[in-house]
């Protein structure tokens, strides 16, 4: 009570002092300044040149013509600089030798001022021009033929007896080839069909990017999607990626007499094909903790649809196996039961095909849109990601196929079981088996094993020739200069100068064989057509990476020129920094050289971990070897830093080679949940302690503690409730302690409460610093203020000292926000970062050391939190915190500021499920550690900036 009374009296006294003493002085100063300015404006001004370069020297600022009076310029300079020659604050004392005169003067440094003038970008110039130029050349032109394919050629006749009239297309998301064909597979019924000949197995090669939307496009159109589809894959509001107006085998099936399509599963199909399906039920794809309900919502429709007779195409897309991979990897104990569940669906459909009369000519296609790597993620080009299984199943296949050994021994090439085909080959194969035209933009080749269904020689040739002519039209659109009707091409196509010249030669040979009629052997003609189609497929697939090299070179050259200019401008500063400049230059050159190797890019984390180790050792030897150092730094300081760095390295295994290796976050903590929650609670307790001490700098200790504890409790409660929805296995045994207080509010409300609390804290801290302006010279490493020496003159207090507490408040609030946006298994890393920060404070770092430490540790922390250079490590699970629906701006910002990367779902774009956010799901490359270090040492840097 007494303390509160004293505080009120102090505040009242300060208010009186400001109103009675300082305000009259300020008003008098303002009046004198106004009078001086009016007097100056009334005098004749010297003429100046229109374009005058601004320099630090006063004489260079004013150009004096010959007719101007030189005394005028001198008076102007004196009057500009001598604004307040008579004002001295009452009661102020100056230390001996002090230059505090009450005048606004330039600070003398004993050396000439820099004459460097930085150029100002004129309107129209942009710093990102090299990147934009490079991007325009990186995304190549891909020809597109509009419309729907038809049998326009009167010479083409559909085979009289096509083997199938219906298709069931069953996609099991992330169905890697070994999940079906290996000895560890639980697809026992499917393997029995392969052994009996009722199923034909393949490995379908999926080109990068291996995420759902581009792969669905490839399977339905037969084309090769580009990397632009990666962006569209995440954009919930995107409508440009629709295939409703493009030719696909779905459009061809629907165009058949009485054609009708149904779809159940991943709602990506509904986004790509709006209005295509007569009956549908889309399931959300982002809630990766759901292993069962997301598939049960599909399976519950299967039995009823198998009894219906009004459809000729059914699409089923199961997500559970992919979710298991994202959550716990391909070796998860949940993987075998999920495979057995999917195998049961295959059994149910196959038995219906055998027993139902209206399904006897139905083809079941089982496949994956992509695979997964050893960490359970996908999106890149690793062997496991590009090798999904593909199985054609029907009792009719026993007539043409031979029994295959299954399970199969491990192949020589990783995951490439049986015959490898392209995923785009599905579209022309279905066209041939069901008797409809090949989609216009198809680049796939009909799988020749199915030609045995057709007994007539002409039917086999027609099917392949129709496929070849369709590809030929795309080749002509891509290479308009090639003449396919020229009669001068040699019979030996090996004499052609380029791959593009080979295609006209091969097409001419095919035309010659067909003109000769029956003189050529059927197999010879089929082989020639297949060779042409595959060569065209290979060349056209290459056009997907046929970049505009001139623009790429221009972009790289412009960027190199900008780098050279930046290096030239930075050279004086780097040379003046001596050792620090040398170390920074070596770091930049080493990292830049490493980027020229793809394997180094994939494993970049090792560079930064080793750089951090070497840097810590350098700081230790520098501190102990400096002659100016008054005391030595103990060896356990650097030992503790190296130990913490080792823990960071093992927290999340990232990169490509060791993505699935054991680590702390995904292997140790899920088993030892008690240790996890002890560390999480300790992190939030430390945050509450720090916020109560320095989060509200000018509030009373009781109010600051109450607000800080409340905010940290709200943030902790939200993360517990979120974890229970996202990874319930981590909360087992703790629900009764943690979840009961949070059961009332929804996750959306809890997240918004936390964000609102952080915003209010931040606003109060900024406003309090602005209006109170305490006289503080600096902060020590604990955040406690160091008062200015009593002997210092009043004007020696730096103008930035009023904000000296703000960096610590920003630091703590940023840490709390980033912890809220992190996975629960990564939250203890923030406690580790804080320990590193306190230990680094014992090394008495100078601003140059601080800058390089921040650079190194921000990259090291990025990889420690699970980041990598692969698209498969993008994590969107926390990008929907506090958002009720898809909002491109909000989701984009939260994605950017989320420190987590790996182990979550990168593959699709959807809303969060209703029970998670009220509506149905992480990329911040400005990493945590660098931001923290920069904010912590901001005061020491600002204190060296002259007034």
């Amino acid at each position: 009570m007494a303390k509160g009374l004293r505080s009120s009296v102090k505040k009242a006294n300060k208010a009186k002092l400001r109103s009675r003493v300082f305000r009259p002085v300020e008003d008098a100063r303002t009046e004198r300044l106004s009078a001086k300015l009016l007097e100056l404006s009334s005098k004749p001004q010297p003429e100046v040149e229109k374009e005058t370069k601004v320099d630090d020297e006063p004489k260079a600022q004013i150009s004096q013509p010959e007719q101007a009076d030189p005394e005028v310029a001198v008076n102007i300079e004196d009057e500009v600089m001598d604004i307040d020659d008579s004002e001295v604050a009452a009661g102020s004392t100056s230390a001996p030798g002090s230059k505090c005169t009450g005048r606004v003067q330039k600070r003398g440094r004993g050396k000439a001022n820099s004459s460097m003038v930085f150029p100002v970008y004129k309107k129209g110039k942009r710093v990102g021009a090299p990147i934009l130029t490079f991007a325009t050349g990186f995304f190549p032109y891909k020809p597109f033929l509009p419309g729907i394919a038809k049998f326009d050629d009167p010479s083409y006749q559909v085979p009289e007896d096509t083997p199938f009239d219906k298709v069931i297309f069953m996609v099991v998301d992330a169905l890697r080839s070994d999940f079906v064909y290996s000895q560890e597979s639980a697809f026992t019924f499917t393997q029995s069909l392969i052994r009996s000949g009722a199923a034909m197995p393949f490995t379908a090669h999926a080109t990068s990017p291996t995420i759902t939307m581009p792969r669905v496009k490839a399977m339905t159109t037969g084309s090769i999607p580009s990397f632009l589809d990666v962006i569209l894959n995440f954009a919930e509001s995107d409508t440009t990626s629709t295939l409703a107006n493009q030719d696909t085998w779905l459009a061809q099936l629907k165009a058949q007499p009485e054609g009708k399509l149904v779809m159940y599963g991943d709602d990506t199909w509904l986004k790509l094909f709006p209005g295509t399906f007569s009956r549908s039920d889309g399931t959300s794809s982002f809630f990766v903790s759901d292993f069962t309900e997301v598939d049960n919502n599909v399976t519950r429709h299967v039995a009823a649809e198998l009894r219906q007779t009004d459809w000729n195409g059914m699409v089923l897309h199961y997500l559970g196996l992919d979710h298991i991979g994202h959550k716990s990897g391909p070796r998860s104990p949940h993987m075998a039961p999920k495979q057995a569940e999917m195998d049961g669906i295959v059994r149910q459909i196959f038995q219906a095909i055998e027993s139902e009369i209206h399904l006897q000519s139905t083809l079941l296609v089982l496949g994956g849109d992509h695979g997964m790597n050893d960490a359970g993620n996908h999106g890149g080009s690793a062997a496991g990601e590009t090798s999904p299984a593909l199985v054609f199943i029907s009792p009719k296949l026993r007539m043409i196929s031979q029994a295959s050994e299954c399970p199969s021994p491990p192949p020589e090439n990783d995951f490439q079981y049986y015959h490898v085909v392209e995923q785009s080959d599905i579209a022309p194969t279905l066209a041939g088996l069901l008797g409809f035209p090949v989609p216009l933009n198809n680049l796939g080749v009909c799988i020749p094993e199915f030609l045995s269904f057709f007994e007539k020689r002409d039917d086999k040739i027609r099917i392949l020739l129709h496929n070849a002519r369709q590809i030929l039209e795309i080749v002509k659109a891509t290479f308009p200069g090639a003449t396919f009707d020229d009669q001068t091409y040699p019979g030996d196509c090996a004499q052609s100068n380029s791959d593009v010249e080979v295609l006209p030669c091969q097409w001419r040979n095919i035309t010659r064989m067909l003109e000769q009629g029956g003189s050529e052997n059927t197999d010879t003609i089929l082989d020639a057509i297949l060779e042409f189609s595959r060569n065209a497929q290979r060349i056209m697939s290459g056009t997907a990476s046929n970049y505009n090299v001139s623009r790429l070179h221009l972009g790289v050259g412009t960027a190199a020129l900008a780098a050279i200019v930046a290096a030239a401008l930075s050279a004086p500063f780097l040379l003046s920094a001596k050792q620090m400049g040398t170390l920074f230059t070596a770091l930049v050159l080493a990292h830049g050289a490493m980027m020229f190797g793809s394997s180094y890019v994939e494993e970049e984390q090792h560079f930064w971990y080793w750089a951090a180790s070497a840097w810590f050792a350098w700081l230790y030897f520098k501190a102990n070897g400096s002659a100016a150092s008054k005391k030595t730094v103990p060896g356990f300081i650097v030992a503790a830093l190296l130990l913490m760095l080792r823990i960071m390295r093992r927290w999340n295994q990232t990169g490509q080679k060791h993505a699935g290796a054991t680590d702390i976050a995904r292997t140790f903590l899920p088993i030892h949940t008690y240790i996890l929650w002890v560390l999480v609670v300790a992190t939030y307790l430390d945050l509450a302690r720090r916020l109560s001490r320095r989060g509200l700098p000018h509030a009373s200790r009781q109010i600051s503690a109450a607000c800080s504890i409340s905010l940290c409790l709200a943030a902790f409660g939200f993360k517990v409730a979120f974890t229970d929805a996202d990874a319930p296995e981590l909360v087992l045994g703790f629900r009764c302690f943690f979840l009961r207080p949070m059961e009332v509010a929804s996750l959306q409300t809890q997240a918004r409460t936390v964000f609102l609390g952080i915003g209010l804290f931040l606003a109060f801290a900024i406003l309090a610093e602005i209006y109170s302006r305490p006289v503080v010279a600096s902060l020590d490493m604990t955040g406690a203020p160091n008062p200015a020496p009593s002997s210092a003159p009043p004007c020696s207090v730096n103008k930035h000292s009023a904000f000296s507490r703000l960096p610590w408040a920003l630091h703590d609030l940023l840490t709390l926000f980033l912890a809220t946006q992190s996975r629960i298994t990564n939250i203890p890393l923030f406690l580790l970062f804080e320990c590193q920060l306190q230990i680094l404070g014992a090394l008495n770092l100078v601003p140059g050391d601080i800058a390089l430490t921040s650079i190194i540790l921000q990259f090291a922390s990025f990889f420690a939190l699970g980041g990598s250079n692969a698209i498969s490590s993008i994590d969107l699970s926390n990008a929907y915190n506090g958002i009720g629906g898809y909002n491109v701006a909000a989701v984009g910002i939260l994605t950017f500021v989320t420190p987590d990367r790996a182990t979550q779902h990168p593959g699709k774009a959807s809303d969060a499920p209703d029970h998670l956010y009220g509506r149905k799901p992480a990329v911040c490359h400005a990493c945590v550690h660098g931001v923290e270090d920069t904010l912590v040492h901001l005061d020491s840097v600002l204190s060296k900036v002259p007034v």
Side-chain angles (χ1 to χ4, degrees), residues 665-686:
R666 289 174 293 185
T667 307
F668 178 79
L669 292 180
I671 299 175
H672 304 84
T673 54
Y674 286 94
I675 297 178
L676 169 65
W677 288 108
V678 167
L679 293 175
V680 171
V681 171
T683 304
Y684 278 100
L685 287 176
D686 178 67

Side-chain angles (χ1 to χ4, degrees), residues 44-49 62-76:
Q45 299 296 322
E47 296 182 3
V48 297
E49 297 180 1
I62 303 177
S63 178
Q64 303 177 8
E66 295 180 357
Q67 66 272 20
D69 187 356
E71 295 181 0
V72 175
V74 174
N75 293 336
I76 290 175

